[in-house]
């Protein structure tokens, strides 16, 4: 397996699974884990409904007048519709936990969406209300969840107490008490049928829950459904005025990580339109340019990357697509002058050309670049998939272009020789 294939596979693994884990579980981007400014605490339950444990949980909640949110599996909801109806009748929130308890890392984004929508349809058919909240099994997201699950608010947690394992009521109660704070989201489990759960563990959880609700009633703690945490602050946590949409912030976070992993560098500042990276040409076929430059496998190139954060800033300055195109052309020429100056250094004498891969590549000819079709293979397929997702997430008309111009959205290699770069921009 070639080095470029390993790089492509590594990039896809990081992009699809590890990056969203960091963004959601560590940074809290694109998800609700807790809510600042809230004076209440949300109680949530995963993996049900279960014919034995869920009724016990509902009985305890009803006894103490507490409303919670149940993230249910569609397959279980179909088996126990009376429990879904009871949850709804008693005022609890119902969210999606997938049709079956499968990690999103091991499913395609389209399968994730189908299973989420299937579960939502089951709940809507039983209650008349379609769920708007979703919690992925084990809290594991893939990156495209932020795109394909946009109809749902993704909810994780700030407190997890290991109640899927058997332990003493006293120990579980202590762990619950430590997790309590204003704005927290606690997660418990009303089933023992998922992977890793110990048989009978929810019975201990029910006892600890009874003890917790009895003790917090005396302190006046306010328990609410997960969706009510954000409502009481009066702020939409997913889209605050003056900030980029959270899905865009997620993607830009990935790009910053990508730059560190693959040594993509700024030239003057992070406001430049282009970033660069030294690399070797890995194509099997030589590239012959009009000025006589021949690029062969192993030759050194300077790979260029668009600064999408700056591209978004340019869009904010433009009043139309035509004005945006003019601004982009102007900034691109300015950036290429900076690249030419950077390349005109003894340390970069071996660099034969600038090289990049672009999905929207019409109009790049006047800048001096030559377009070259990519050879078919894993790398071309991965690049096409990556760039289409990038267009859909970051471009203001990305979704419409995906529908209308699909046949034209083919990634092309764009190459500008060192000689031509210096002649035009130095």
């Amino acid at each position: 397996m070639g080095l470029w294939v390993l790089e492509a596979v590594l990039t896809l693994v990081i992009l699809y699974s590890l990056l969203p884990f960091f963004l959601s579980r560590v940074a809290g981007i694109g998800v609700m884990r807790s809510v600042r400014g809230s004076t209440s605490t949300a109680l949530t339950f995963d993996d049900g409904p279960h014919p034995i444990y869920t009724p016990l949980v509902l009985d305890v909640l009803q006894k103490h007048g507490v409303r919670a949110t149940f993230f249910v599996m569609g397959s279980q909801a179909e088996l126990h519709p009376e429990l879904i109806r009871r949850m709804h009748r008693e005022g609890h929130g119902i969210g999606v936990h997938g049709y079956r308890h499968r990690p999103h890392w091991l499913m395609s984004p389209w399968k994730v969406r189908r299973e989420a929508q299937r579960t939502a349809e089951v709940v809507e058919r039983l209650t008349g209300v379609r769920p708007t909240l979703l919690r992925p099994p084990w809290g594991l997201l893939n990156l495209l969840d932020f795109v394909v699950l946009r109809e749902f608010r993704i909810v994780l947690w700030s407190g997890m107490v290991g109640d899927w394992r058997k332990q003493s009521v006293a120990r579980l109660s202590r762990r619950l008490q430590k997790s309590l704070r204003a704005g927290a989201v606690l997660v418990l489990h009303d089933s023992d049928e998922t992977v890793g759960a110990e048989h009978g563990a929810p019975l201990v959880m029910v006892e600890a829950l009874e003890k917790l609700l009895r003790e917090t009633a005396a302190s006046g703690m306010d328990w609410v459904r997960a969706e009510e945490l954000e409502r009481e602050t009066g702020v939409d946590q997913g889209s605050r005025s003056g900030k980029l949409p959270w899905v865009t912030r997620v993607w830009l976070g990935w790009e910053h990580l990508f730059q560190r992993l693959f040594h993509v560098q700024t030239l003057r500042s992070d406001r430049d339109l282009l970033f660069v990276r030294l690399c070797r040409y890995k194509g099997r076929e030589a590239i012959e340019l009009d000025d006589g430059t021949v690029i062969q496998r192993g030759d050194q190139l300077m790979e260029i990357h668009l600064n999408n954060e700056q591209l978004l800033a340019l869009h904010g300055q433009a009043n139309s697509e035509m004005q945006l195109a003019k601004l982009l052309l102007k900034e691109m020429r300015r950036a290429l002058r900076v690249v030419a100056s950077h390349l005109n250094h003894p340390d970069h004498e071996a660099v034969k050309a600038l090289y990049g891969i672009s999905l929207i590549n019409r109009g790049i000819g006047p800048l001096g670049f030559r377009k070259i079709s990519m050879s078919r293979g894993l790398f071309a397929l991965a690049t096409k998939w990556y760039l289409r997702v990038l267009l859909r997430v970051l471009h203001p008309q990305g979704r419409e272009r995906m529908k209308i111009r699909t046949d034209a959205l083919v990634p092309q290699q764009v190459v500008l020789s060192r000689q031509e770069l210096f002649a035009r921009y130095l």
Side-chain angles (χ1 to χ4, degrees), residues 194-206:
T194 55
V195 175
E198 296 183 6
H199 182 68
L203 292 175
V204 179
M205 180 273 292
V206 171

Side-chain angles (χ1 to χ4, degrees), residues 244-289:
L244 294 170
W246 61 264
V247 69
T248 304
R249 299 201 307 272
V250 167
W251 197 278
L252 291 176
W254 148 248
E255 291 198 337
H256 289 311
L257 178 61
F258 177 90
Q259 290 164 18
R260 290 191 176 190
L261 288 173
F262 294 99
H263 308 292
V264 178
Q265 301 175 344
T266 58
L267 294 177
R268 295 179 308 181
S269 75
D270 57 7
R271 292 190 176 185
D272 286 329
L273 188 60
L274 292 177
F275 298 145
V276 299
R277 168 180 175 259
L278 291 175
C279 66
R280 298 283 178 179
Y281 178 58
K282 303 179 180 70
R284 293 188 178 90
E285 298 179 1
I287 297 176
E288 297 184 13
L289 301 178

Side-chain angles (χ1 to χ4, degrees), residues 269-399:
S269 75
D270 57 7
R271 292 190 176 185
D272 286 329
L273 188 60
L274 292 177
F275 298 145
V276 299
R277 168 180 175 259
L278 291 175
C279 66
R280 298 283 178 179
Y281 178 58
K282 303 179 180 70
R284 293 188 178 90
E285 298 179 1
I287 297 176
E288 297 184 13
L289 301 178
D290 294 339
D291 62 3
T293 300
V294 178
I295 301 171
Q296 298 179 326
R297 187 178 181 88
D299 283 345
Q300 193 170 64
L301 304 174
M302 181 164 282
E303 189 175 86
I304 55 175
H305 296 263
L306 267 177
N307 180 349
N308 284 303
E309 199 162 359
Q310 187 64 18
L311 186 59
L312 286 170
L314 287 176
H315 181 267
Q317 300 172 24
N319 297 320
S320 65
E321 285 291 301
M322 182 63 71
Q323 187 180 6
L324 176 61
K326 290 180 179 178
L327 282 173
L328 185 57
L329 192 61
K330 178 182 176 181
E331 289 300 317
M332 192 70 172
R333 287 190 171 119
R334 181 181 298 171
L336 287 170
R337 286 195 289 271
V338 175
V339 173
S341 178
H342 180 74
L343 200 58
N344 189 28
H345 188 279
D347 289 346
H348 302 312
E349 287 182 352
V351 175
K352 279 193 171 183
L354 296 188
Y355 172 86
I357 299 175
S358 175
L359 193 64
I360 303 176
N361 39 60
R362 291 187 304 166
I364 203 168
L367 293 171
F369 286 89
R370 178 183 169 187
K371 293 192 294 185
I372 301 171
S373 298
M374 296 182 67
S375 301
R376 292 183 179 181
L378 176 62
F379 182 71
L381 183 63
T383 301
K384 182 176 181 179
W385 172 81
Y386 177 89
L387 292 176
R388 286 192 175 195
V389 173
L390 176 66
L391 176 66
R392 185 182 180 95
V393 172
L394 293 182
H395 195 282
Q397 281 80 40
R399 183 172 294 189

